[in-house]
Amino acid sequence: MADRSEYDAFVAAAWHRLLRTAYLLTRDWAVAEDLVQTALMKVWVVWPRVREEHEAYVRKIIVNEHVSWWRRRWRQAEITTGAPPDRAQDSDRMDQADERQLVWELLGRLPARQRAVVVLRFFEDMTEVQTARTLGCSVGTVKSQTSRALAKLRVDASFAAAYARKG
């Protein structure tokens, strides 16, 4: 059990990791910050009663809130403004920017739950058990969602083309 005096230290230590997770889920820095702040506000209320690992508990709130927000705006149209400009100067940095953009686009094509599993498993290096605990589901669900997400990525034409260029 933790008292509220530890809360500020926890937020300072975990903020960037939580923000990165939220950003990978939302693909928008402003929304990611809102998501983390909402999760931290919710955990503040129950902080003294949180018995599990604090960061995992907040990640669980972030993922659940993201899914909840996504469901609310499900019918709204997405407005695109085109690809962001590249600022890299040399070809290596351009290749890295291209890869990041491709990963970004591919993650965006996955359903929210599959994207959450991929982000937690491969970007946050969580085990299947940790991912299941964070998402509030069984390990089998994590495995099946991971399998479906990776299968979808494998058959995606742009992923296949990029993989072929690297190979």
Side-chain angles (χ1 to χ4, degrees), residues 20-140:
R20 179 184 63 207
T21 299
Y23 176 71
L24 289 168
L25 291 172
T26 64
R27 304 174 69 210
D28 183 310
W29 284 112
V31 175
E33 285 181 354
D34 290 345
L35 192 56
V36 172
Q37 289 172 1
T38 299
L40 290 172
M41 183 179 63
K42 286 184 174 199
V43 82
W44 166 255
V45 175
V46 298
W47 184 258
R49 295 186 311 245
V50 176
R51 298 194 190 293
E52 60 186 275
E53 185 182 329
H54 294 113
E55 196 163 334
Y57 187 79
V58 175
R59 281 185 206 280
K60 186 175 190 175
I61 294 172
I62 288 171
V63 170
N64 290 338
E65 279 296 305
H66 170 66
V67 170
S68 177
W69 290 5
W70 180 81
R71 285 181 181 150
R72 271 186 236 141
R73 49 169 249 198
W74 182 65
R75 295 187 184 259
Q76 293 178 354
E78 183 175 317
I79 301 170
T80 58
T81 58
D86 282 334
R87 296 184 192 165
Q89 299 299 318
D90 61 350
S91 63
D92 287 343
R93 291 181 70 198
M94 292 296 277
D95 289 343
Q96 290 174 349
D98 290 343
E99 276 185 31
R100 281 193 304 271
Q101 182 65 30
L102 177 62
V103 169
W104 180 251
E105 290 171 6
L106 292 170
L107 278 175
R109 294 178 192 165
L110 294 174
R113 200 66 164 174
Q114 289 178 9
R115 185 180 327 135
V117 169
V118 168
V119 166
L120 294 175
R121 287 280 292 127
F122 301 107
F123 288 88
E124 297 299 331
D125 286 330
M126 289 186 172
T127 65
E128 291 169 341
V129 172
Q130 290 170 324
T131 302
R133 192 175 305 127
T134 299
L135 295 176
C137 64
S138 70
V139 172

Side-chain angles (χ1 to χ4, degrees), residues 131-148:
T131 302
R133 192 175 305 127
T134 299
L135 295 176
C137 64
S138 70
V139 172
T141 300
V142 169
K143 288 179 180 181
S144 67
Q145 291 293 310
T146 301
S147 176
R148 288 182 185 135

